[in-house]
Each structure stands twice: as C-alpha cells, then as structure tokens.
Amino acid sequence: MRDSLTDQEFRGWNSEDDSGEMGGIGDDLETIWRPPMKDTSRTNADAWHYRRLASLDPGLKTRLRRLGFHPEPPFSVNHPFGEILDAVGPDLLHQISKCFHDYMLDWIWKATVSHWQDKFNENQLKQELDSRFALMPSFAGLKSFPEGIFTQSHHGTVHELKEQMRVILGALAGLCPVEALSAAREYLHIHRLAHYNCHTDESLQWLDSAIETFFKQLRAPGGIFVRKNIVTPDYEPPRLHYLFHYVRAVIMKGALPSFSTDRTEIWHKGPKSLYSDSGKHHWMPFVLKGMTVAEAFHNKISYFQTQRSGEDGENTAVNGDPNGDPDSSDESSEDDDINNPPADVNSLENIWRQNGDATSNTVDDVGDINGQTIMETTQSMIPKHTYIWPKPRGYRRKRALEAETEYKLLGLNTSLERFFSQSNDFYDPNALLWIPYSIQMTYPTWLETEVGMETVNNNGQRFPEEHVFEEERHLKVERRRINTNKVRHEIVFVKAPDRVPRGTIHAMSFRRVAQVLLLFKYRPSGALLEESTLAYVNWFETKRTADKHTGLYLVSRTTRCAVIDIADIERPVHLIPKYGSAVGETYRVKQQLDAVLNGLNKHDNLADGEPKYRMTEQVMRHYKEFWLNTWIDHHLYKTVF
C-alpha cells in the first residue's frame, strides 16, 4: 500500500484536519507496516501478520477503508511465482515510450517556457519549435511534421512519439535550457539501451547508469526541474519507478522488447475495428463472425501453400517469395522502394547465409558483381556493403564537362583528373559518364565491436555492444536509397581510415560527412580499361567533439568537393540544422523558404511529369552548420555516440 502512493500524498496524512479524524494515519501505517529490520523486505508472512494487527484496531480499519484500502489479501497471493512487478511490466510501449510524451516532453516544455518567460510568451515558443520540426530535413523512414508538433489536431500515436524522439535533441538545441537537454539525453539513452535485443553485463551497467543519472538530474535539489517547481525532490511516478527494475527484468526474463505490448497490441485492432463496425449493438456475434471469416481465409491461404509445396517435395514460392509468405508480395514504398528490394538483393542475402566475410562489391543489374556472376564471386567472400545500380535504361550519358555545365557542378572535371592522377590511372575527358538518379545501398547493422573488435566513445570508454550471433549477421542488414536528384541529395558517411586525426580521437576521427552531388560510372573508351563507380561529393567538416549536453557532433559545410570511389560510402546519415537560440528566427526562415518553394513548384516552371521540389533541398542550401543526428536509428547510435 505504501508503494502505491506518492511521498507527497503519504506525508499529507500526517497532518491533522479540522476534525482531527485523519491525523496520524501516516504514522500509524509506518508503525504497523514497517519491516522488522531497516534493510529487509516484507514477506507474505509479514503481510498476513500486519493485516491481522490492523483488523484488531477497528478505528484504524475504518479510516483505512475511507482511504480506499482493504484488509483482504490481494489476488496475487494465489500466484506464488508472480509478483506486482510481473503484473505491470516490463512494458516498453506504455512505460519508456509513452512516458516520453506523458512526462518528459511536458517537463522539458515547462522548463523551456520558464527559461524564456521574461522575453517571449508560450505561443511564440510553440511557433518556434513547430517551425524547427517543419524544416527538419527528410530521411528514409523518418516521419515529417510539416506543420510542427503542437498544431496536430489528433492525439499523437506512439509511432509519432518515437519519431519525435529521433530528432528532438537537435530541434531543442539552443531553445531548451542545457540542464533539461542533458536529462532528455539520458532518457533517450535509456530508451535505446532498453530496446537492445541482446545484452551483455557491460550494456546492463550502461542501462543502470543511465537510469540513475536521469533521476539524479531530474530530482537534483538545485536542478532546473526542482528549482522551477516542475517536480519535487522525491518525485517518482509508478511508471517511471519501474525503470529501476529494468536491469533485473533483463537478467530474469531476457531482452525487454520481447515483453513489450507493442508486439501484441496489434492483435486487438481487428476486433476493435469490427466492434466499431457493429454499431455497438449486439456486437459479440458480429465480432465473432468477422474473426471467424478472417481465420478461415488465413487457413485457406495456408492450405494452398501446403498443397503447392507438396507437389514436388519442395517448398514452392507464393507470390514470388522463396519463403512462401503470401504477405511478402512487392508493394511500392514512399521512398523509392527502399523497404522492398529487387530480386537481386534477396539473392545476395541467400549467398551471405552460406559464406564468410568479404569486402564491398558493386552489383550491376541482376546477378552480376563487377562482371562476374554472383555465385562465382561469393564462393570465397560475402559483401559487407553492396551498391545496386539501375539497368542501362536508367542512366543519362554525358561527358564530364557537359555534366559540369548542365548540373552546375563547378570543378567536376578537375576533380576527376585529380582522382585518377592519385591512383596513376589514365583519365579520358571525352569518356562518357553514366549518371543515374539514385542507387540502392545495402549495409550491415551489426558492428565490428559485436564480433570481437573494440571501439571507444567520445570519453575514451568502450561502448557496450549489442551481441550478435554469428548466424544472425546476414539478417541484420539495412537497405537505403542514395538519391542525387532535386528531391534530395543524400548525406553520407565516407570512410577515411588513413586520415590523421587532430586532437582527441573519437568516433568521427576516421569518418567524414559529405553530400553526394552526383553518382556516375566512368566508362573509358578503351576495351582494356576497367569501369569505375564514383561519386562527386561536397565535404562537411566536423567542428569538435560531441556536444556534452546533446551528444551530437557539429558539422559545417565547406566549399571543397572531390570525386570518391562509391565503395568508400559507409551509410546515409541525417543532419539537423543548427537553428540557434534566436526565438522567432526559424519561423521567419520557414516563411522565406515556403515562398521560394512555391515559386519553384509553379505549374509553368515544371515540365510534364517532372517531380516537385522538396523543402529538404532548400533547407540544406540555407543553413551552413548542422548537428549530426546520432539518434536517428539504432545502428548509428551504436556506431557514433
């Protein structure tokens, strides 16, 4: 009973009211239910004993009844191998994910409003933050908020809350007090570490440390949350209190994602929809009939699959899927079919399952890697990074000087000469460049640290890996489209293993950030000369080590461009503009860029079938400094943070 109340409520019972009837309740409870020894926990036998003592005092029993307490034992006494912690969690969906909106975002916003209260009102601050979300550059799989987050007319879903968590630190930088930013960062650490699918002792120590640090910052007597009366020094709501039991839950039960209700809640959507369609009158027969029809349809599909697989003693694909999954038919996605790769990618995955390690390879059309068949090439190697180029009809063919003029890429021809001179290769300026609009890249989402090597974080400490079993490595891959069109010019990591770092070595010391301006194949006219797959990029400079409050690296655009080998691209990344601390400035920039975008997308300025310009390109041109968003996905969090 004591644990179910906040300390503030419990202390309030120690003071007498006008009648004096409720006075001393807190003291009575502490006297009766205090454990026999300070450092021991109450057992079930103790609970029975204390209930008996309470039943002998009619006055205390009456007062407890009025407060909603019951002397009867709870239902859990009939479940000797369960406890209250098993009844309420662990549940990542309703605890760490939903609590971001219910608690963390509310605390951050109150701290921000209080910080600026002498200069700006709350509506001006909301307008500023909404503008920052509206100008957020796009990224594959990232939900956009074109009107911001405060203007939403519907209740935010957990999916939308998780999308906000991916970019919230970059949006708040400069607007939110640094103390609140640090607490938000620790909360995001908890969220990421709690979603690990496999833990080590070290990763559990990091999780435990993040939880402890978060509550210290939240409840620090001199901290902003207590100082501004947002929380009390002993504030600990039940859902957040359960975070202290996460490490114990992992040790006893396994990785937490397996126990989160976001994996089971989807099953209630069908009955819930049928319930709404029933008009809520005589709904039970309607729901049962609908579920029966759905189950019968599913069984029928399974029957067809079984029949087909039994014809020749082999499992025949359904809808072209080698695994026989009827739900895996191709569907177009919003971002150039990123989530539905062509058949050659699936064939590569099958090869990865049968072979060992290898270096990067370029896939040109179906079944061909650098002129060799896939099976012949991969007998001794597995590609860690694969770059899939379009078929011949998907190219524009131009010479270097023509491409430089038409696409306004000043210095392209000079950079090509420099690239080939460094490798002592012949460069033919009259050779054709085969230029696609985009290519598809596949890269592993497990790290070398997770199979034996070590990396360090920005403090020189080893970062906890998420252990990956050897047989799982072929499954943990990501596919992304690298675009070079007016919709988006992709931002990427470029590997720089030979780079000489300046100052303290950190996760960005041997990486560079670049924007891909042009992708192309250089095909010299000589029959004996090999084709080169290249990219023309604009370099960004990493300004310093990661910011201590947000964990984000600051990068700035330079005027330097270069031609690089496509195999040096490590993965796409996401940049967030450094909006600064001038409240109202982002809103003015948004109005300016909206006017520019409307002018570019006028009907008279677009050819038939030509795609419209997007806000992302305008934002990337306007700002010069950006935060490297290491919270954008699980892989980048482990790679760079």
Side-chain angles (χ1 to χ4, degrees), residues 135 577-579 586 589 619-626:
L135 295 184
K578 185 183 179 184
Y579 297 111
T586 310
V589 171
V619 171
M620 296 302 297
R621 289 193 183 101
H622 180 84
Y623 289 95
K624 302 304 178 186
E625 289 188 320
F626 301 84

Side-chain angles (χ1 to χ4, degrees), residues 412-551:
L412 173 61
N413 189 59
T414 304
S415 297
L416 269 170
E417 291 179 356
R418 187 182 301 115
F419 175 81
F420 284 104
S421 65
Q422 291 173 349
S423 57
N424 297 322
D425 290 331
F426 173 74
Y427 170 62
D428 179 10
N430 294 317
L432 287 177
L433 307 183
W434 289 50
I435 305 171
Y437 287 102
S438 65
I439 64 172
Q440 187 165 267
M441 176 183 180
T442 303
Y443 59 91
T445 57
W446 46 269
L447 309 181
E448 294 294 343
T449 62
E450 297 167 347
V451 288
M453 295 179 63
E454 293 186 358
T455 58
V456 295
N457 71 345
N458 55 3
N459 295 320
Q461 299 173 331
R462 184 168 174 263
F463 192 80
E465 67 272 8
E466 180 184 14
H467 182 75
V468 177
F469 294 100
E470 190 78 18
E471 60 272 14
E472 283 187 320
R473 289 189 295 167
H474 66 277
L475 299 174
K476 293 179 177 279
V477 295
E478 193 69 60
R479 304 178 187 90
R480 287 286 184 261
R481 182 72 62 178
I482 300 179
N483 296 285
T484 55
N485 48 49
K486 68 181 184 182
V487 173
R488 184 168 74 233
H489 284 80
E490 213 71 45
I491 309 296
V492 297
F493 268 161
V494 178
K495 293 174 282 188
D498 300 327
R499 187 182 183 188
V500 180
R502 294 179 295 177
T504 305
I505 295 179
H506 49 77
M508 290 297 295
S509 295
F510 302 102
R511 292 184 176 92
R512 301 185 71 181
V513 178
Q515 185 173 28
V516 182
L517 303 178
L518 194 71
L519 296 163
F520 59 93
K521 291 182 177 182
Y522 170 77
R523 290 186 172 178
S525 55
L528 299 179
L529 298 177
E530 293 185 359
E531 170 188 279
S532 300
T533 53
L534 308 172
Y536 186 55
V537 301
N538 178 205
W539 292 116
F540 287 73
E541 179 185 2
T542 304
K543 304 285 284 187
R544 54 178 182 264
T545 57
D547 179 74
K548 65 179 181 179
H549 301 296
T550 63

Side-chain angles (χ1 to χ4, degrees), residues 46 204 207 212 227 251 280 294 358 395 413 463 477 566 582 585 591 605:
D46 294 330
L204 289 178
L207 176 58
E212 182 179 352
R227 196 169 65 247
I251 295 173
K280 302 180 182 179
Y395 295 89
N413 189 59
F463 192 80
V477 295
I566 197 72
E585 178 62 26
Q591 289 181 313
N605 296 337

Side-chain angles (χ1 to χ4, degrees), residues 90 111 168 216 230 286 307 396 472 482 577:
I168 190 68
K216 281 183 178 179
I230 298 172
F286 187 89
Q307 287 294 100
R396 298 154 287 167
E472 283 187 320
I482 300 179

Side-chain angles (χ1 to χ4, degrees), residues 348 351 355 369 373-383:
L348 279 175
I351 293 167
N355 298 276
I369 303 181
T373 63
I374 290 179
M375 193 56 68
E376 292 174 348
T377 304
T378 55
Q379 288 298 325
S380 59
M381 58 200 244
I382 305 173

